[in-house]
Amino acid sequence: MHISEGVLSAPVLISGGVLAAVGTVIGLRRIDIDEIMPAALLSSVFFVASLVHVPIGPGSVHLVLSGLLGLVLSWACFPAILIGLFLQAVFFQFGGLTVLGVNTVTMAAPALCCHYLARRWLETPSTRPIAAFTAGSLSILFSSLLTALALSLSDEGFTTAAQAIIIANLPVMVIEGCITLFTIGFIVKVQPEILHVKAAL
Amino acid sequence: MKHSSLFCLALILLLPLSAQAHKLSIFAWPEGSEIRGEVKFSGGRQAKNVNIVVQNRLDSSIVAETVCDEKGDFRLTLPEQTMKTKPDLLIIANGGEGHRGEWLLEAKEYAAVISDTAPPAQASASSAVAVNESQLRRIVAEELSKGLSPIRQSLAESINPEPGLRDILGGIGWILGIAGMAAWASRRKSIS
C-alpha cells in the first residue's frame, strides 16, 4: 500500500500533499483534548501494524488497520495516519518523505469514508459486528483503488494496477475486517466512551 | 481511559515484533566480470521477475536492463562503452504496484574488481602450461572475487537492515511524545 519514492509524477505528489494537509488541518481542528491519547495510541497501532506481514496470496502485503482508525477517530485519522506514515518512512524506509502526502490520502481518505458509511451502524449492538467488519475490509479496498489511481495518473494503467493490488490485498481485507470487528467489540465493552456509544449490557 | 490504554498497549505488544512488511530492497555487488544482485521484499519474501534497469547516474541514460529470476537474483554484464567511462551506476528495481528500490554502485566499488578480471588482450599461444604474470593476476583476482562474493553480499545487505525492536519502540515513543505536546498546547489554549 505504501508507494515508494520516485514512482509518482510531480503533479500527483503535490496534489496528494495538498489534500493530506487539508485533511490534517481539519482533523487537528476537530480533535478534542480527551481524544488526543486515543488518537496517539491508534496512531502507534497503525505504525506497528505495517510490520505485520500477511504471508497469504500472491503479493507482499501487510496490515494497515485504517478502517479501525477511521471508525474511532473520524477526521482525526488524518493526523494519526500522517504521523504513523512519517515515522514508518523515517524508521523503516517504507514509502518515503516525498510520497507522504499521497500515501496519507490513499489510507486516510478511505478510513474517513468508512467512518461516514459505517459509524451510525455501530450504535446498535445488532448491526455493530457487520459495520465493523465492513469498515475494516472496505477501507482496504478503497485504499487499493486510490493507490491504483495514483499510479495510473503517473504511468501504470489503472485496471492492471488495480487488479494486482486488490488481488494481493484480498487476504488483508478479510483479516482486517475480523480484527476491526473484535477490536470494536472490545472497545465497546471496556471503554464505550471512546466510541461515544452505550455499552452493551 | 485506563482500560483503553492498557488494551492498546497490549495490542501493540502482542503484534509479532519479528514480523515484516513490504519494501522492495535491492543489493548489487561486482563478481568476476559481471554485476550480481538480489531483489527482495523486506521480510525476505522473494521478488520474482522484477525489472532491473541500470542507469548512468550522471546523465540518467540506461546502460543495461534485465529481469531477475524466480529467486530474485540477477546478473548482468556491463557494455564495453560503460566499462571505458566507468560512471557511478544507479541500479533500479521496479516491482510494479508502486514498489521501487534503488541501489547505488559507485565506480570505485566495481572498477577494480571488473577491470582486473577482464580477459587479457591475447592469450599466449605458445604453451598451455606456462602461465605468465598477467594471467596469474587474472586467475587470482577471479578466485578472490568469487570467494569475496558472499562477504560483499552480506555487506550490501547490512546497509539496509530490517526494522528492529529499537525502531519500533522509538517510533511509539515519538508518537506518545507528540501527543503529549499536543495535549499541553491545547490545554494552554483552553486556559488562556
Side-chain angles (χ1 to χ4, degrees), chain A residues 1 4-7 33 36 40 44 47 50-53 57-60 62 87 92-94 151 156 164 183 186 191 194, chain B residues 1 3-5 7-8 12 19-23 41 45 96-100 163 167-168 171-172 175 179 182-183 186:
Chain A
M1 209 65 78
S4 310
E5 301 259 19
V7 176
I33 191 164
I36 289 178
S44 320
F47 168 70
S50 73
L51 291 173
V52 182
H53 181 73
S60 170
H62 57 79
L87 293 168
F92 309 150
Q93 289 84 47
F94 293 167
L151 290 172
E156 283 186 70
T183 312
F186 188 83
Q191 205 70 33
I194 289 186
Chain B
M1 197 66 243
H3 282 295
S4 66
S5 319
F7 167 71
C8 283
I12 291 167
Q20 313 98 8
H22 69 174
K23 175 185 80 176
F41 286 109
R45 182 143 188 171
E97 299 160 48
H99 298 140
R100 186 175 185 274
D167 301 318
I168 295 168
I172 294 172
I175 293 172
S186 69

Side-chain angles (χ1 to χ4, degrees), chain A residues 29-167:
Chain A
R29 287 226 172 127
R30 290 204 175 187
I31 202 165
D32 189 56
I33 191 164
D34 291 332
E35 291 162 358
I36 289 178
M37 260 310 152
L41 290 167
L42 280 168
S43 184
S44 320
V45 170
F46 171 83
F47 168 70
V48 184
S50 73
L51 291 173
V52 182
H53 181 73
V54 178
I56 315 169
S60 170
V61 288
H62 57 79
L63 296 185
V64 182
L65 296 180
S66 51
L68 177 64
L69 268 76
L71 277 182
V72 180
L73 300 175
S74 172
W75 279 89
C77 74
F78 264 93
I81 287 178
L82 176 70
I83 291 174
L85 280 173
F86 171 75
L87 293 168
Q88 283 170 359
V90 173
F91 282 98
F92 309 150
Q93 289 84 47
F94 293 167
L97 294 181
T98 54
V99 264
L100 202 55
V102 175
N103 281 336
T104 305
V105 173
T106 57
M107 293 187 223
L112 192 64
C113 274
C114 289
H115 177 87
Y116 284 113
L117 275 178
R119 181 62 183 75
R120 61 198 142 123
W121 304 106
L122 286 185
E123 310 282 343
T124 39
S126 57
T127 51
R128 191 174 293 143
I130 296 179
F133 184 91
T134 315
S137 46
L138 271 190
S139 63
I140 300 297
L141 180 67
F142 292 164
S143 282
S144 306
L145 289 173
L146 273 182
T147 309
L149 181 68
L151 290 172
S152 70
L153 288 175
S154 294
D155 62 357
E156 283 186 70
F158 177 75
T159 27
T160 34
Q163 270 172 354
I165 298 175
I166 290 172
I167 290 170

